[in-house]
Amino acid sequence: EPEVTQTPSHQVTQMGQEVILRCVPISNHLYFYWYRQILGQKVEFLVSFYNNEISEKSEIFDDQFSVERPDGSNFTLKIRSTKLEDSAMYFCAIYPGQGANEQFFGPGTRLTVL
Amino acid sequence: GQQLNQSPQSMFIQEGEDVSMNCTSSSIFNTWLWYKQDPGEGPVLLIALYKAGELTSNGRLTAQFGITRKDSFLNISASIPSDVGIYFCAGQKMDSNYQLIWGAGTKLIIKP
């Protein structure tokens, strides 16, 4: 089963600060995704990334958010100026693209904005 | 936008009981996935369904892809304490991005 790691596991930041969340897919993938889950709520799609560029983004993914692949393996989600309502679990997921339509999730980063 | 209605929101059951939960949508999906999430962890895939009418089992779990492509159910037989958690259905959009649309989750609590 494909694996995905995420760092940090927990990030605490002050409102207005920039945060960078990191994800490292252990295995090959075709698509890469970031999702958000506010505590007690359902998982929400943020953005999908294919062929080194954004393929689709949700209305949540506004100008405060950006995704990058800085070194060819890691993926990052940057929030430029965090707001209190950005507090959530952030998951990255991969779609291996090997005949099945399954997405595999990382363990998540818990972001707390104070 | 596309919405998934998942029910029930929570379930309180005795160990050994069977569990049933379902998801419905007004939209058609080409894939239905069922995930389980433990506190503080990412969703873990339980069952994937690809064809309308498909019935798939994974141990004590059984899931079906509705004939209309607009619904799916998940059954857990003879529940055990480790079944506790939140179960999510997710439908995959019929486009090339494979984006998932999620249900709100069913929280399973097993009474001692």
Side-chain angles (χ1 to χ4, degrees), chain A residues 6-17:
Chain A
Q6 289 185 247
T7 59
S9 58
H10 192 185
Q11 173 95 41
V12 181
T13 189
Q14 296 288 333
M15 187 171 58
Q17 295 295 307

PDB file of all heavy atoms in Angstrom, chain A residues 6-17:
ATOM      1  N   GLN A   6       3.905  13.082   6.626  1.00  0.00           N
ATOM      2  CA  GLN A   6       3.668  14.513   6.743  1.00  0.00           C
ATOM      3  C   GLN A   6       4.409  15.064   7.946  1.00  0.00           C
ATOM      4  O   GLN A   6       4.501  14.407   8.994  1.00  0.00           O
ATOM      5  CB  GLN A   6       2.169  14.810   6.924  1.00  0.00           C
ATOM      6  CG  GLN A   6       1.343  14.575   5.674  1.00  0.00           C
ATOM      7  CD  GLN A   6      -0.105  14.985   5.857  1.00  0.00           C
ATOM      8  OE1 GLN A   6      -1.009  14.161   5.849  1.00  0.00           O
ATOM      9  NE2 GLN A   6      -0.333  16.291   6.024  1.00  0.00           N
ATOM     10  N   THR A   7       4.921  16.274   7.788  1.00  0.00           N
ATOM     11  CA  THR A   7       5.548  16.971   8.905  1.00  0.00           C
ATOM     12  C   THR A   7       5.149  18.434   8.904  1.00  0.00           C
ATOM     13  O   THR A   7       4.886  19.011   7.854  1.00  0.00           O
ATOM     14  CB  THR A   7       7.096  16.895   8.821  1.00  0.00           C
ATOM     15  OG1 THR A   7       7.514  17.474   7.581  1.00  0.00           O
ATOM     16  CG2 THR A   7       7.578  15.470   8.948  1.00  0.00           C
ATOM     17  N   PRO A   8       5.074  19.069  10.080  1.00  0.00           N
ATOM     18  CA  PRO A   8       5.114  18.437  11.390  1.00  0.00           C
ATOM     19  C   PRO A   8       3.798  17.739  11.709  1.00  0.00           C
ATOM     20  O   PRO A   8       2.829  17.922  10.972  1.00  0.00           O
ATOM     21  CB  PRO A   8       5.338  19.636  12.324  1.00  0.00           C
ATOM     22  CG  PRO A   8       4.630  20.762  11.634  1.00  0.00           C
ATOM     23  CD  PRO A   8       4.840  20.525  10.155  1.00  0.00           C
ATOM     24  N   SER A   9       3.752  17.011  12.778  1.00  0.00           N
ATOM     25  CA  SER A   9       2.492  16.397  13.161  1.00  0.00           C
ATOM     26  C   SER A   9       1.569  17.433  13.789  1.00  0.00           C
ATOM     27  O   SER A   9       0.349  17.322  13.700  1.00  0.00           O
ATOM     28  CB  SER A   9       2.735  15.240  14.134  1.00  0.00           C
ATOM     29  OG  SER A   9       3.420  15.705  15.282  1.00  0.00           O
ATOM     30  N   HIS A  10       2.162  18.447  14.430  1.00  0.00           N
ATOM     31  CA  HIS A  10       1.371  19.498  15.058  1.00  0.00           C
ATOM     32  C   HIS A  10       2.124  20.818  14.917  1.00  0.00           C
ATOM     33  O   HIS A  10       3.332  20.877  15.192  1.00  0.00           O
ATOM     34  CB  HIS A  10       1.126  19.188  16.542  1.00  0.00           C
ATOM     35  CG  HIS A  10       0.098  20.051  17.175  1.00  0.00           C
ATOM     36  ND1 HIS A  10      -0.191  19.998  18.528  1.00  0.00           N
ATOM     37  CD2 HIS A  10      -0.716  21.011  16.677  1.00  0.00           C
ATOM     38  CE1 HIS A  10      -1.145  20.884  18.807  1.00  0.00           C
ATOM     39  NE2 HIS A  10      -1.473  21.497  17.700  1.00  0.00           N
ATOM     40  N   GLN A  11       1.424  21.845  14.441  1.00  0.00           N
ATOM     41  CA  GLN A  11       2.008  23.165  14.269  1.00  0.00           C
ATOM     42  C   GLN A  11       1.124  24.170  14.991  1.00  0.00           C
ATOM     43  O   GLN A  11      -0.070  24.249  14.729  1.00  0.00           O
ATOM     44  CB  GLN A  11       2.100  23.511  12.781  1.00  0.00           C
ATOM     45  CG  GLN A  11       2.542  24.920  12.472  1.00  0.00           C
ATOM     46  CD  GLN A  11       4.028  25.017  12.216  1.00  0.00           C
ATOM     47  OE1 GLN A  11       4.607  24.173  11.562  1.00  0.00           O
ATOM     48  NE2 GLN A  11       4.641  26.049  12.756  1.00  0.00           N
ATOM     49  N   VAL A  12       1.749  24.937  15.881  1.00  0.00           N
ATOM     50  CA  VAL A  12       1.032  26.009  16.564  1.00  0.00           C
ATOM     51  C   VAL A  12       1.617  27.324  16.083  1.00  0.00           C
ATOM     52  O   VAL A  12       2.840  27.489  16.051  1.00  0.00           O
ATOM     53  CB  VAL A  12       1.170  25.895  18.095  1.00  0.00           C
ATOM     54  CG1 VAL A  12       0.380  27.025  18.771  1.00  0.00           C
ATOM     55  CG2 VAL A  12       0.669  24.546  18.578  1.00  0.00           C
ATOM     56  N   THR A  13       0.769  28.260  15.708  1.00  0.00           N
ATOM     57  CA  THR A  13       1.250  29.518  15.164  1.00  0.00           C
ATOM     58  C   THR A  13       0.349  30.654  15.608  1.00  0.00           C
ATOM     59  O   THR A  13      -0.792  30.445  16.032  1.00  0.00           O
ATOM     60  CB  THR A  13       1.309  29.450  13.629  1.00  0.00           C
ATOM     61  OG1 THR A  13       1.982  30.610  13.119  1.00  0.00           O
ATOM     62  CG2 THR A  13      -0.087  29.411  13.026  1.00  0.00           C
ATOM     63  N   GLN A  14       0.887  31.845  15.505  1.00  0.00           N
ATOM     64  CA  GLN A  14       0.102  33.036  15.809  1.00  0.00           C
ATOM     65  C   GLN A  14      -0.635  33.497  14.566  1.00  0.00           C
ATOM     66  O   GLN A  14      -0.140  33.366  13.448  1.00  0.00           O
ATOM     67  CB  GLN A  14       1.029  34.163  16.300  1.00  0.00           C
ATOM     68  CG  GLN A  14       1.735  33.873  17.603  1.00  0.00           C
ATOM     69  CD  GLN A  14       0.796  33.924  18.789  1.00  0.00           C
ATOM     70  OE1 GLN A  14      -0.215  34.612  18.778  1.00  0.00           O
ATOM     71  NE2 GLN A  14       1.135  33.167  19.836  1.00  0.00           N
ATOM     72  N   MET A  15      -1.798  34.053  14.772  1.00  0.00           N
ATOM     73  CA  MET A  15      -2.585  34.584  13.671  1.00  0.00           C
ATOM     74  C   MET A  15      -1.746  35.582  12.868  1.00  0.00           C
ATOM     75  O   MET A  15      -1.030  36.418  13.446  1.00  0.00           O
ATOM     76  CB  MET A  15      -3.840  35.266  14.230  1.00  0.00           C
ATOM     77  CG  MET A  15      -4.835  35.715  13.202  1.00  0.00           C
ATOM     78  SD  MET A  15      -6.374  36.255  13.971  1.00  0.00           S
ATOM     79  CE  MET A  15      -5.795  37.560  15.056  1.00  0.00           C
ATOM     80  N   GLY A  16      -1.811  35.480  11.548  1.00  0.00           N
ATOM     81  CA  GLY A  16      -1.053  36.370  10.682  1.00  0.00           C
ATOM     82  C   GLY A  16       0.299  35.820  10.259  1.00  0.00           C
ATOM     83  O   GLY A  16       0.918  36.371   9.340  1.00  0.00           O
ATOM     84  N   GLN A  17       0.735  34.762  10.910  1.00  0.00           N
ATOM     85  CA  GLN A  17       2.021  34.169  10.560  1.00  0.00           C
ATOM     86  C   GLN A  17       1.872  33.230   9.367  1.00  0.00           C
ATOM     87  O   GLN A  17       0.791  32.702   9.087  1.00  0.00           O
ATOM     88  CB  GLN A  17       2.597  33.396  11.746  1.00  0.00           C
ATOM     89  CG  GLN A  17       2.957  34.273  12.936  1.00  0.00           C
ATOM     90  CD  GLN A  17       4.078  35.235  12.606  1.00  0.00           C
ATOM     91  OE1 GLN A  17       5.143  34.827  12.129  1.00  0.00           O
ATOM     92  NE2 GLN A  17       3.856  36.515  12.841  1.00  0.00           N
TER      93      GLN A  17
END
